[in-house]
Each structure stands twice: as structure tokens, then as C-alpha cells.
């Protein structure tokens, strides 16, 4: 095995472990909060509804008005209906943002997307 094979395997390993480690960070932040604290913020529920329902509807209307191909429209709207990425929490930690709030919105959008993604798929696609 040469140096470049080992180097490539190392990079592959680092790439494979990134998402599970990110989820551990978010989980550890959420573990320090009570369930009521995570679920009781009306602002975060409103942002979740905007992110998972309103934005996909708005994008669908804009793309349909532009006459975009149905395959591209379906992919774009489906992507828009996905929950907030875990990376936001990590970036918030790195740059001194509100990590607890970011962990909460990551959790809320992920949990709510179990219901909203099928709704968006049935109604818009």
C-alpha cells in the first residue's frame, strides 16, 4: 500500500465520521435541556412551519411560474422541504452563536419533517 492509498483511506474515514460526530454534539446539547424547554418556544415552531411548509410552497409557485421542468421542480421543492442541517449547530459553536437555539431548531425541524415531507410531496409534487 502506498502513501496515497493510506491518505485517501484516512480522508474517507474522516468524511464518514463527520455526520455521526455532529449528531453526537447536537444530542449532547439537547441532553442538557428539559423536554419542555426544547418544545415550548413559539418562535421556533413558527420558524419550523416557515422552513418546512411556507418556503417549499413559495419555491414551487415561483418555479411553476417560470415554467421549470417538473423533474427539476420536484427535486428543488423536495430539497427545500428538508430539515435544518446539523452543520448549523457546529457553525454556531465555532462562531459564538446561540448553540442551544440552533440545536432546538435542528431537532424540531427534523421531528416535524416526518409529517411535513409527505404533505409537501402529496400537495405540491
Amino acid at each position: 500500500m502506498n502513501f496515497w492509498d493510506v491518505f485517501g483511506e484516512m480522508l474517507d474515514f474522516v468524511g464518514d465520521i463527520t455526520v455521526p460526530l455532529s449528531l453526537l454534539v447536537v444530542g449532547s446539547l439537547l441532553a442538557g435541556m428539559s423536554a419542555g424547554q426544547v418544545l415550548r418556544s413559539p418562535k421556533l415552531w413558527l420558524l419550523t412551519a416557515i422552513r418546512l411548509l411556507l418556503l417549499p410552497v413559495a419555491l414551487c409557485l415561483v418555479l411553476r411560474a417560470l415554467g421549470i421542468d417538473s423533474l427539476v421542480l420536484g427535486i428543488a421543492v423536495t430539497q427545500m422541504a428538508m430539515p435544518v442541517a446539523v452543520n448549523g449547530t457546529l457553525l454556531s459553536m465555532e462562531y459564538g452563536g446561540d448553540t442551544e437555539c440552533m440545536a432546538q431548531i435542528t431537532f424540531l425541524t427534523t421531528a416535524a419533517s416526518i409529517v411535513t415531507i409527505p404533505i409537501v410531496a402529496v400537495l405540491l409534487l
Side-chain angles (χ1 to χ4, degrees):
M1 215 177 212
N2 67 27
F3 170 77
W4 294 111
D5 290 338
V6 173
F7 186 70
E9 282 186 39
M10 180 191 68
L11 290 178
D12 191 42
F13 175 74
V14 170
D16 289 344
I17 199 69
T18 303
V19 172
L21 286 177
S22 301
L23 292 171
L24 283 172
V25 169
V26 171
S28 68
L29 288 169
L30 290 171
M33 296 181 233
S34 68
Q37 183 182 358
V38 173
L39 300 174
R40 73 172 171 231
S41 173
K43 286 183 193 176
L44 293 182
W45 280 107
L46 178 63
L47 288 172
T48 298
I50 290 170
R51 170 77 173 109
L52 298 178
L53 295 172
L54 185 64
L55 290 178
V57 169
L59 180 65
C60 184
L61 294 173
V62 168
L63 293 180
R64 282 192 179 152
L66 294 173
I68 300 296
D69 179 60
S70 64
L71 177 64
V72 174
L73 182 136
I75 293 169
V77 170
T78 303
Q79 281 293 108
M80 182 63 78
M82 293 296 132
V84 174
V86 176
N87 298 351
T89 303
L90 300 177
L91 290 171
S92 178
M93 290 176 76
E94 179 70 25
Y95 295 107
D98 188 352
T99 55
E100 285 187 356
C101 183
M102 193 63 210
Q104 287 174 311
I105 197 70
T106 301
F107 173 76
L108 287 177
T109 58
T110 301
S113 69
I114 295 169
V115 174
T116 60
I117 290 172
I119 291 171
V120 167
V122 167
L123 296 178
L124 299 179
L125 305 179

